[in-house]
Amino acid sequence: MSSQDAREQILSRLGAHKPGPPPTVAPHLAWSAPVLAPAERTASLVKRMEAMRAEIRRTPEKKWKEALAQLLTDKGPATLAYGPGAWFAKDLKTLLAKSNTEAKPYAEDAEHFRDTLFGTAASITSVQAGIAETGALVLIPGPGEPRLLSLVPPVHIAVLRASDIVSTLAEALETLSSGTTMASNVVLVTGPSKTADIELTLAFGVHGPKEVVVLLLE
């Protein structure tokens, strides 16, 4: 049989195949996502992220500037990269002007900003959602807050509103895509970068941030 004949046979069988009904799941085996109250969602996310060595700093939303100033004093980064499109960018610029941390706005394309970013001590990004079930942050990068911000500097500060914490990944995707086209790129952060490629020895910060600090606004 020639390769052309074999190909036609395969395509013929595929074309003749009629898909059957989707499999059904017995009611007692069906899984439903947990429905959590707001306080339960926050507690679950904090517990799971702390288990992955993320640091959580909780503060009333109206005092976020004071909390961030204290965080920068404690960590002491010489430079801080941020996206001009972040909701806090304008206030951040003012805040950094009064501190010992130099602002590094990510206002160029990646090719031109790359060397600056690799030499930056820390970065700060907004967070679109938190997932209580898995203890993960959902970041949707874009021109205003490029993806490399959360991947390159050794310290990543993530600003999350407690009101944006949902129960499950499915709920997060449904919420974030509601009424719009879903983003082409989504970053999930559960804590500092981790790898156990070599002799199964867990190492932090090899391929990304060594430290993740979540500023949780309540």
Side-chain angles (χ1 to χ4, degrees), residues 5 10 15 17 23 27 32-33 58 73 78 81-82 94 108 117 125-126 144 175 186 194-195 202-203 206 213 216:
D5 291 339
I10 292 172
H17 176 70
S32 297
R58 304 172 73 158
T73 298
Y82 68 96
T94 303
E108 303 173 273
L117 191 61
T125 69
S126 60
T175 301
V186 175
K194 296 177 284 294
T195 183
L202 186 62
V206 176
V213 184
L216 181 57

Side-chain angles (χ1 to χ4, degrees), residues 191-203:
S193 168
K194 296 177 284 294
T195 183
D197 293 343
I198 302 175
E199 298 180 351
L200 298 181
T201 300
L202 186 62

Side-chain angles (χ1 to χ4, degrees), residues 50-113:
E50 287 182 336
M52 291 291 107
R53 296 195 181 185
E55 179 181 344
I56 311 293
R57 294 201 178 197
R58 304 172 73 158
T59 182
E61 182 164 354
K62 62 183 180 182
K63 294 186 176 180
W64 74 268
K65 296 178 190 175
E66 293 90 335
L68 178 58
Q70 185 61 53
L71 193 162
L72 294 175
T73 298
D74 295 344
K75 301 295 179 183
T79 49
L80 180 71
Y82 68 96
W87 62 264
F88 48 74
K90 184 177 179 181
D91 290 323
L92 180 66
K93 189 175 180 180
T94 303
L95 189 152
L96 292 177
K98 302 176 183 177
S99 74
N100 295 321
T101 300
E102 181 183 357
K104 294 289 185 182
Y106 194 154
E108 303 173 273
D109 59 50
E111 191 64 29
H112 288 89
F113 194 68

